[in-house]
Amino acid sequence: MPRSQRNDNFIDKTFTVMADMILKMLPTNQKAKEAFAYYRDGMSAQADGEYAEALENYYEALTLEEDPYDRSFILYNIGLIHASNGEHEEALEYYHQSIELNPRMPQALNNIAVIYHYQGEKAKEAGDEEKAEQEFRKAAEYWIRAIQLAPNNYIEAQNWLKVTGRSKIDVYF
């Protein structure tokens, strides 16, 4: 049974009904509508912490979805799941694919930076200062790009960039 038919609470049921109505009225082909249904079920499963089910739905949506912008969000959500499972290399792959399709996605740029920063911290803890610096440099690059797209977001990253002297631009605050 599709997840959209299993939602138990009122808000989920209301969202599902509204999404189904919109989906029926959209002037798009059947394949795109099916892709959206899988994407919607993936988001619902992801919100419930059912990551394996979410991934199945996202992968199915990817096989059907042709629009690059929509595919970028599917890839981004797959990256989120891998990141939350501690699979950072896989998450980076999906975030990078997402950005290739949609370069104006600050949340993917931010998440890439977060992973690089985390890897930099781990390298620093291990005493590998050179590797740490490489990772911090990459984190700064992606945070700067994210902040340029969304200047009112990522305040902690903005502070880190300023405090560490890693940014010369002053688009912050």
Side-chain angles (χ1 to χ4, degrees), residues 15-169:
F15 172 77
T16 300
V17 169
M18 294 298 291
D20 286 342
M21 286 175 24
I22 292 169
L23 194 57
K24 287 176 185 170
M25 294 186 302
L26 278 176
T28 187
N29 65 39
Q30 186 60 32
K31 194 173 177 182
K33 290 179 182 183
E34 286 180 45
F36 177 77
Y38 279 109
Y39 178 67
R40 182 194 61 215
D41 287 349
M43 288 191 313
S44 179
Q46 186 175 356
D48 290 344
E50 300 290 338
Y51 297 140
E53 182 182 345
L55 286 174
E56 285 178 26
N57 281 295
Y58 289 146
Y59 292 138
E60 189 62 36
L62 275 178
T63 66
L64 297 167
E65 184 58 66
E66 296 172 355
D67 182 72
Y69 185 79
D70 292 341
R71 288 179 62 81
S72 72
F73 281 94
I74 298 168
L75 293 164
Y76 170 76
N77 282 319
I78 294 171
L80 284 176
I81 291 172
H82 285 295
S84 70
N85 288 334
E87 301 162 345
H88 296 134
E89 293 307 315
E90 291 88 349
L92 286 171
E93 287 178 34
Y94 283 100
Y95 290 146
H96 283 292
Q97 288 179 48
S98 177
I99 291 170
E100 285 177 29
L101 296 175
N102 182 4
R104 298 191 54 82
M105 186 181 270
Q107 62 270 42
L109 295 165
N110 174 67
N111 290 1
I112 291 170
V114 167
I115 292 171
Y116 285 142
H117 185 269
Y118 172 79
Q119 291 174 338
E121 289 292 333
K122 289 295 180 193
K124 189 175 180 179
E125 288 174 12
D128 190 345
E129 294 295 325
E130 186 177 321
K131 172 80 170 157
E133 184 55 34
Q134 288 174 345
E135 298 298 314
F136 289 145
R137 231 180 279 124
K138 289 190 275 188
E141 173 191 331
Y142 281 94
W143 267 325
I144 289 169
R145 288 175 58 191
I147 292 164
Q148 287 172 333
L149 292 172
N152 295 323
N153 296 351
Y154 316 117
I155 302 302
E156 288 182 40
Q158 292 181 32
N159 288 335
W160 180 79
L161 289 166
K162 281 185 140 181
V163 168
T164 61
R166 295 183 186 277
S167 177
K168 304 242 183 297
I169 59 172

Side-chain angles (χ1 to χ4, degrees), residues 2-9 12-13 15-16 44 48:
R3 175 169 278 277
S4 60
Q5 295 176 1
R6 289 188 281 161
N7 292 330
D8 294 330
N9 71 43
D12 283 345
K13 285 183 181 180
F15 172 77
T16 300
S44 179
D48 290 344

